[in-house]
Amino acid sequence: MKLVVVSAGLSVPSSTRLLGDRLAAAVVGRAPAAAPAEVEVVELRDLAVEIAHNLTTGFPGPLLGAALDAVASADGLIVVTPVFSASYSGLFKSFFDVLDRDALSGTPVLIAATGGSARHSLVLEHALRPLFAYLRAVVVPTGVYAASEDWGAEGLAERIERAAGELVATVRPAGGLAAAGRGEPVRVGGLDVVPFAEQLAALRPEQA
């Protein structure tokens, strides 16, 4: 299983990158032995200039092109952003603006964010989840938000493990997304998740 982590943290070290690493480690620990997770990290901080050039010219530079290819070919995706002005960062949004709009269709995605206060935790639901629903990704039910006071406190580790388990259950071949592609919904967190392509197919009128 190819797992790609997209981190929009700006500082070094970054709590955003730390959360991405902890989520990736949890997924690796839960991945079945027959399909171990191979992790690749995309640090958007290192791609900021190329992202800006892509927005103005329409062409990615070599580093950005490699990052876009990695995300498009991922079996599962973990995306983590710091909260700026009550939403995802501009750098985070700009990266997904230059990604091909069909690249994440059907891809399982775990959404996560970091912030200075717990009051911004709803960013997962009002900003990140709609963004990846628009990109036709399969967003796992549990998102993970880490405020400054969450590090070392009770609850964060449990949320990380639950979200990681949902992502693994969605991407693994046995009963996961591959099965759903044959018309069988994935059971994740007590919910039936049907890939967007299958939903569209069900709406098309039958050919005479």
Side-chain angles (χ1 to χ4, degrees), residues 57-118:
T57 66
F59 298 98
L63 294 178
L64 177 58
L68 295 172
D69 289 344
V71 168
S73 62
D75 297 312
L77 198 63
I78 296 172
V79 297
V80 195
T81 178
V83 175
F84 290 163
S85 302
S87 188
Y88 37 61
S89 73
L91 180 61
F92 182 86
K93 180 59 161 58
S94 295
F95 176 77
F96 289 101
D97 282 345
V98 300
L99 182 70
D100 185 277
R101 66 178 184 178
D102 295 322
L104 296 185
S105 181
T107 302
V109 176
L110 192 168
I111 56 174
T114 59
S117 169

Side-chain angles (χ1 to χ4, degrees), residues 46-57:
D46 299 331
L47 302 173
V49 173
E50 290 195 17
I51 291 172
H53 286 167
N54 195 166
L55 288 169
T56 56
T57 66

Side-chain angles (χ1 to χ4, degrees), residues 175-186 193-195 198:
L177 194 61
R182 297 190 295 271
E184 302 173 14
V186 183
V193 179
V194 179
E198 294 294 320

Side-chain angles (χ1 to χ4, degrees), residues 192-204:
D192 287 331
V193 179
V194 179
F196 189 78
E198 294 294 320
Q199 298 180 43
L200 284 179
L203 294 175
R204 295 191 184 106

